Amino acid sequence: MESNPIRTSDFAFDLPPELIAQTPVEPRDASRLMTLNRYTGEIGHKYFRDILQLVNPGDCLILNDSRVLPARIYGTKAETEAHVEFLLLENKGNDTWETLCKPGKRAKLGSRFQFGNGLFEGEIVGVQEDGGRLIRFFYQGDFFSLLDNVGQMPLPPYIKEKLQDQERYQTVYSREVGSAAAPTAGLHFTPELLDEIRSKGVDIGFVTLHVGLGTFRPVSAACITDHKMHSEHYYMPATTAQLIRDTKARKGRVIAVGTTSCRTIESVMKKEGTMRESAGWTDIFIYPGYEFKGIDGLITNFHLPESTLIMLVSALAGRENTLNAYAEAVRERYRFFSFGDAMLIV
């Protein structure tokens, strides 16, 4: 037994519901940006476009280029015309996907469904212990193009407003399709801002981590070490690994854009012992006491109370500094969660 176990309740804070952002700010880089010194706890207030003044020549930003699947689709049962909602979670290969569906009682083993008025079909080929379904799809052409026609963005459950432009839940640099949720720290960048950052002498590299819905699952264990992390697939390209090594060699800062980029970098260091090309599954859980081996700073949004994400931020900036910053964000009426404001921790 640990002498002083870290409790989930240690990461609780009071969040007024009206601070949960329902719609994105326009333009993207007009959102607010809190700065947090991870060593002193000093807090500053900026706008996201000011990031240009906060990064230095020789630094690098590491971005997650995963693209969100329009993963919410509605099927009509062939025999009864009953409607069932499916949420695609993970491609298992052979045109078979792990899904969540409701109402589940209508999706029994062997049931067949039509999607998009017959654009493609699916058959339930497995029922999982947690109630999820394995569905195999039958179609002609490119499945992801068909999904673009019939699917909807799987917005987080705390967003009640309908999204007018589906691209606003994608980063401007997204390209590798496979996420069930957006890597939201990157939503603040515009192409123009990225160009200005490059012009300043700051390098930009890309990793891929496909975000799973486990991101939104609350930590139910009282002691955080009893929490089981979900696994997500990542890829660290050789060019990005080289960029990180070069940045370290010249004493620049490696700044991860989002907890997903952070988890990718730290997973590679943990698995490989060095920064190099790597791919696989990671269930790394970063919480206070963790020693960072890859990143020097983090750009991230404001996260849910008692979530693994605020625990990761607390590992980098210290729990007390983090909770002080969150209390300040509430006082200053920052916007929280996926479409909310950002913070830079260095």
Side-chain angles (χ1 to χ4, degrees):
M1 285 288 290
E2 292 177 71
S3 55
N4 289 303
I6 306 174
R7 305 192 67 77
T8 301
S9 56
D10 293 340
F11 302 90
F13 63 92
D14 291 324
L15 178 66
E18 67 272 16
L19 295 186
I20 299 172
Q22 295 296 314
T23 53
V25 166
E26 296 295 346
R28 288 173 183 258
D29 60 0
S31 52
R32 294 165 76 188
L33 178 71
M34 176 184 283
T35 59
L36 175 61
N37 185 309
R38 57 186 283 214
Y39 304 104
T40 67
E42 184 183 354
I43 292 167
H45 302 285
K46 306 276 188 184
Y47 286 94
F48 195 82
R49 64 176 73 94
D50 297 327
I51 201 83
L52 190 61
Q53 280 72 57
L54 300 170
V55 291
N56 305 321
D59 290 344
C60 74
L61 296 182
I62 306 299
L63 284 56
N64 181 5
D65 63 6
S66 184
R67 186 167 174 80
V68 186
L69 280 167
R72 181 169 280 119
I73 57 176
Y74 295 88
T76 304
K77 199 169 182 180
E79 313 87 63
T80 63
E81 298 291 302
H83 296 286
V84 176
E85 175 188 318
F86 292 89
L87 188 60
L88 306 184
L89 298 183
E90 187 186 316
N91 187 350
K92 296 293 193 181
N94 197 28
D95 294 321
T96 301
W97 286 73
E98 180 186 346
T99 68
L100 295 176
C101 65
K102 60 182 185 184
K105 63 177 184 285
R106 291 180 180 168
K108 294 186 169 62
L109 200 61
S111 297
R112 290 184 70 95
F113 294 87
Q114 284 194 344
F115 299 89
N117 293 319
L119 204 57
F120 58 95
E121 295 183 351
E123 180 182 346
I124 306 298
V125 295
V127 178
Q128 298 174 297
E129 278 183 25
D130 62 1
R133 300 294 195 271
L134 293 175
I135 183 169
R136 184 173 183 191
F137 292 107
F138 303 90
Y139 57 91
Q140 291 186 319
D142 176 62
F143 183 66
F144 293 117
S145 298
L146 297 174
L147 262 190
D148 278 337
N149 282 325
V150 304
Q152 295 178 10
M153 279 299 157
L155 292 180
Y158 45 74
I159 294 178
K160 310 299 182 192
E161 296 272 334
K162 188 168 172 57
L163 185 61
Q164 299 304 315
D165 175 9
Q166 300 225 65
E167 279 301 306
R168 280 305 268 109
Y169 194 57
Q170 305 278 16
T171 62
V172 297
Y173 47 80
S174 65
R175 57 188 173 209
E176 299 294 334
V177 177
S179 276
T184 53
L187 294 178
H188 307 280
F189 286 97
T190 64
E192 295 77 17
L193 181 57
L194 289 168
D195 286 344
E196 289 180 82
I197 289 169
R198 287 188 185 97
S199 296
K200 189 177 179 177
V202 176
D203 287 314
I204 293 175
F206 295 95
V207 296
T208 304
L209 182 136
H210 291 317
V211 188
L213 280 184
T215 297
F216 303 121
R217 290 202 180 110
V219 178
S220 54
C223 176
I224 67 171
T225 50
D226 293 332
H227 175 68
K228 182 170 176 10
M229 285 289 283
H230 58 289
S231 285
E232 295 167 316
H233 194 266
Y234 73 89
Y235 173 54
M236 167 69 69
T239 50
T240 304
Q242 183 67 53
L243 169 59
I244 292 171
R245 291 199 303 272
D246 292 347
T247 302
K248 294 281 192 188
R250 63 177 176 246
K251 307 295 187 205
R253 298 174 299 177
V254 176
I255 300 172
V257 176
T259 56
T260 58
S261 297
C262 167
R263 292 176 71 242
T264 302
I265 293 167
E266 295 300 320
S267 294
V268 172
M269 290 300 295
K270 181 180 177 184
K271 177 183 171 186
E272 308 288 350
T274 185
M275 187 50 58
R276 65 180 175 212
E277 183 174 15
S278 180
W281 293 87
T282 180
D283 60 357
I284 192 170
F285 185 10
I286 297 174
Y287 53 84
Y290 178 86
E291 200 172 308
F292 287 87
K293 300 171 185 67
I295 73 162
D296 304 295
L298 177 68
I299 296 170
T300 189
N301 284 15
F302 291 91
H303 303 296
L304 281 75
E306 301 186 338
S307 64
T308 60
L309 304 178
I310 193 174
M311 292 169 191
L312 184 154
V313 171
S314 298
L316 184 66
R319 176 180 161 272
E320 194 174 317
N321 288 344
T322 299
L323 291 179
N324 283 343
Y326 271 59
E328 174 84 351
V330 170
R331 281 193 297 273
E332 294 293 327
R333 313 297 287 175
Y334 274 70
R335 292 153 47 92
F336 277 68
F337 305 166
S338 296
F339 285 141
D341 296 314
M343 66 193 308
L344 168 66
I345 305 164
V346 285

